[in-house]
Amino acid sequence: MKKQSKDLERRLRSAVPDTPPSTLKEKILTRAANTPQDETMQRSPRRRRFVYWKLAASFAMLALLLSVSVSRLSGSLQPANEHADIVPSATEAVAGTEALGSMFLEDSLHADAELSKGAWADGARGEAGAPGDTGIRESFPLESIGGIIDLPIDTGVDFPIIFEPELPVLPDPAAGLLTAGEWCDNSDFAFFKRVLNRNDWFDYQALYQLTLVRRIAVSVRDDRGLPVRNASVALTGANDSVLFRAVTDYGGNAYLFALSEQAAQSASVVTVSQNGLTEQLPVSADTEEISVTLGGGTVRSPETLDLMFVIDTTGSMMDELNYLQVELDDVIRQVAEAHPNTQIRLSVNFYRDDGDDYVVLPFDFTDDIAAGLKSLADQFADGGGDYPEALDLALENALHEHDWSDNAVKLCYLVLDAPAHSEQDAVVNRLNTLLPEFAAEGVRIIPVASSGVDTETEFFLRNAAALTGGTYTFLTDDSGIGGGHLEPTVGDYEVHPLNELLIDITNRYLG
């Protein structure tokens, strides 16, 4: 498996060569080779928009060149320099055409099309013909029109040719094609603290008013030394004020946070309770870990899994959404098959942004897995407009507008490629309230960071995962599907097929 490291990791630990994992690459290539190819997939709205712009650019260049030709012909019938201020020279016309081509090139690049801008045709010498002909002619193809233009122009002028790009033909969506990695910040919190205090991350703490000043890791065991799951854990301060609540996971672990200097100084007691049993232990200013024995705990397999997906369906998700839908379908089916004695309640939810067809499109928890999968398959990417999306409203709906089960394993997979509107104070305040509430409810946020995620988005998602006892997952470039994926600021990690990774994580939390 592939081992990768970031610049930060090389500074904090040691450099690891960035070599592609041959075994993984072979696996992906095998899957792709066995998957039907469908060139019509490439005719997405972005692709069609690129073709339209290119056709328009070709016609515009043809019009300019015809204008040059007419102006030269009329020049032989006019006094010298007459209307020289309004009749462009061939050089000016070519320069204008190049600028026009650049404008369309920029739009095409925004549509994820790669153009060759540097190809030029040299002047081809021909015999002098019509009056005013210099004898130097320029021939170039207009592929969108399918013809060759051969007009006299000034000596030494090069003309740009825009070639239609060779877009890769991607395999039809199938489970096991997307690739991903995982990084759990609670497993190496000291490393995460150093990342948070880097210059390019530090400012986001102020932006989101989110500072993990202190963390206490709590391990709860029963009188046999076995982990106790779903125990309530609280960090209290002066006057018994509750600073943070959490719920133990499959390993009997919970993480309590002080989110301000005042809270960190006030923290004094950790309280653990389950089934009427309660234990309290004092903590000092330097306490980072604490172990609690709670008699009568249980490690039996959970009876219920509340499995939720919250998915960004704005237009920027177009490049990967069809693949993600198939991958998540496979994850849900395989988890259900692997745990026949566990009641699985599925909820799929979608969100966009203000002004779109919907802001949040929720579906209640259901044990009808087929119905939930149909809701997932019916969605498509559209809308958005600006980069941030209504992430805060999607999370608020996910937590407060759904009937989460008591004493269940509760997982919320958050699939997205953009942050919330952090420029709005109301949004930031809403997120600051929601994340501790997710932790208190025992709902683990597990992000799936898609192509387009930036450093701000990674900052928020890493904090959301850490605060709720989840883990951070992210798509990688190894699959060759979708746009570029941000290389996360983490240490060494393994690359897996996305479906296998999410199945493993879900089974892990189920114990």
Side-chain angles (χ1 to χ4, degrees):
M1 288 298 183
K2 178 179 177 183
K3 296 289 186 179
Q4 303 189 23
S5 61
K6 290 288 292 174
D7 291 341
L8 173 66
E9 183 64 5
R10 286 194 289 271
R11 292 197 300 271
L12 299 178
R13 295 178 179 172
S14 60
V16 177
D18 187 12
T19 56
S22 58
T23 54
L24 176 67
K25 193 163 286 188
E26 290 172 2
K27 180 184 270 188
I28 295 171
L29 290 174
T30 300
R31 284 195 176 112
N34 294 329
T35 302
Q37 307 294 311
D38 184 3
E39 294 189 11
T40 61
M41 268 194 61
Q42 304 306 312
R43 300 185 180 277
S44 65
R46 292 183 180 184
R47 171 68 175 148
R48 290 194 297 270
R49 187 169 74 242
F50 161 70
V51 173
Y52 297 155
W53 279 122
K54 186 173 183 296
L55 183 60
S58 298
F59 276 110
M61 286 189 288
L62 177 59
L64 282 168
L65 287 168
L66 291 176
S67 174
V68 172
S69 180
V70 171
S71 67
R72 286 196 170 276
L73 179 60
S74 62
S76 64
L77 303 177
Q78 297 176 9
N81 297 325
E82 184 177 352
H83 304 304
D85 57 333
I86 62 173
V87 178
S89 68
T91 303
E92 292 168 339
V94 170
T97 305
E98 182 180 2
L100 180 64
S102 298
M103 179 183 71
F104 290 114
L105 174 62
E106 290 178 4
D107 185 271
S108 299
L109 288 174
H110 283 302
D112 292 337
E114 297 178 0
L115 299 179
S116 299
K117 189 180 179 183
W120 299 77
D122 295 330
R125 293 192 174 273
E127 296 182 2
D133 195 339
T134 62
I136 304 300
R137 313 179 75 83
E138 194 83 26
S139 297
F140 61 96
L142 292 178
E143 295 179 25
S144 297
I145 302 174
I148 299 291
I149 304 298
D150 188 4
L151 294 174
I153 65 174
D154 290 343
T155 302
V157 175
D158 291 332
F159 198 90
I161 303 172
I162 299 179
F163 292 100
E164 184 169 351
E166 289 290 336
L167 296 179
V169 177
L170 298 178
D172 284 347
L177 294 180
L178 294 181
T179 54
E182 175 193 5
W183 183 262
C184 182
D185 284 302
N186 277 316
S187 296
D188 193 345
F189 192 69
F191 174 76
F192 189 41
K193 287 283 286 184
R194 292 196 292 273
V195 172
L196 290 172
N197 290 315
R198 278 171 40 124
N199 290 336
D200 54 344
W201 280 61
F202 186 79
D203 291 344
Y204 292 123
Q205 298 184 60
L207 177 65
Y208 281 90
Q209 302 173 24
L210 184 60
T211 307
L212 309 188
V213 178
R214 183 181 180 188
R215 188 204 70 166
I216 299 176
V218 181
S219 175
V220 183
R221 297 288 186 272
D222 65 9
D223 48 14
R224 297 168 295 172
L226 299 176
V228 177
R229 73 164 72 234
N230 282 341
S232 297
V233 183
L235 178 64
T236 56
N239 302 320
D240 294 330
S241 59
V242 177
L243 305 175
F244 200 88
R245 293 184 184 275
V247 176
T248 56
D249 61 14
Y250 58 93
N253 301 312
Y255 305 97
L256 300 173
F257 293 88
L259 300 179
S260 68
E261 291 290 349
Q262 181 180 2
Q265 295 173 5
S266 174
S268 57
V269 175
V270 168
T271 301
V272 180
S273 59
Q274 187 189 59
N275 298 330
L277 299 175
T278 300
E279 290 289 340
Q280 288 187 325
L281 282 84
V283 295
S284 62
D286 58 353
T287 300
E288 295 182 353
E289 298 180 357
I290 191 169
S291 296
V292 179
T293 300
L294 194 67
T298 178
V299 293
R300 68 174 183 270
S301 297
E303 297 178 356
T304 303
L305 166 64
D306 281 357
L307 184 60
M308 175 179 283
F309 291 88
V310 178
I311 304 172
D312 177 353
T313 53
T314 55
S316 60
M317 290 289 291
M318 183 185 304
D319 58 346
E320 288 174 320
L321 182 59
N322 290 340
Y323 291 90
L324 284 164
Q325 287 168 308
V326 175
E327 300 277 3
L328 299 182
D329 181 295
D330 183 69
V331 170
I332 295 166
R333 292 180 187 277
Q334 290 205 42
V335 169
E337 291 174 3
H339 300 275
N341 298 323
T342 299
Q343 180 189 22
I344 298 179
R345 302 170 70 239
L346 176 64
S347 172
V348 291
N349 303 272
F350 311 92
Y351 71 96
R352 290 178 179 168
D353 204 0
D354 291 329
D356 292 333
D357 290 344
Y358 59 82
V359 177
V360 180
L361 180 62
F363 291 86
D364 294 335
F365 278 110
T366 177
D367 54 10
D368 187 344
I369 302 301
L373 292 177
K374 183 180 185 304
S375 299
L376 174 63
D378 286 344
Q379 305 311 310
F380 59 92
D382 193 19
D386 57 357
Y387 182 52
E389 313 297 358
L391 172 58
D392 58 313
L393 298 178
L395 289 175
E396 183 176 57
N397 180 277
L399 184 63
H400 294 312
E401 302 301 324
H402 288 75
D403 183 22
W404 294 88
S405 303
D406 294 331
N407 299 317
V409 173
K410 306 171 189 179
L411 304 180
C412 177
Y413 284 100
L414 181 58
V415 186
L416 76 173
D417 67 351
H421 285 275
S422 58
E423 76 280 3
Q424 301 177 17
D425 291 341
V427 171
V428 170
N429 292 335
R430 186 176 293 116
L431 292 172
N432 285 340
T433 300
L434 283 169
L435 293 183
E437 290 179 345
F438 269 90
E441 183 66 25
V443 179
R444 323 285 173 182
I445 295 179
I446 304 173
V448 180
S450 305
S451 63
V453 161
D454 63 2
T455 303
E456 177 188 342
T457 314
E458 182 189 354
F459 167 87
F460 175 77
L461 296 180
R462 297 266 296 270
N463 277 270
L467 284 168
T468 62
T471 186
Y472 180 65
T473 68
F474 45 91
L475 299 185
T476 71
D477 288 338
D478 300 83
S479 68
I481 296 171
H485 301 87
L486 178 71
E487 182 68 19
T489 308
V490 300
D492 296 339
Y493 64 87
E494 294 183 343
V495 176
H496 301 272
L498 175 65
N499 62 330
E500 294 181 9
L501 178 60
L502 297 189
I503 291 168
D504 177 71
I505 291 173
T506 304
N507 289 338
R508 191 189 314 160
Y509 279 97
L510 281 168

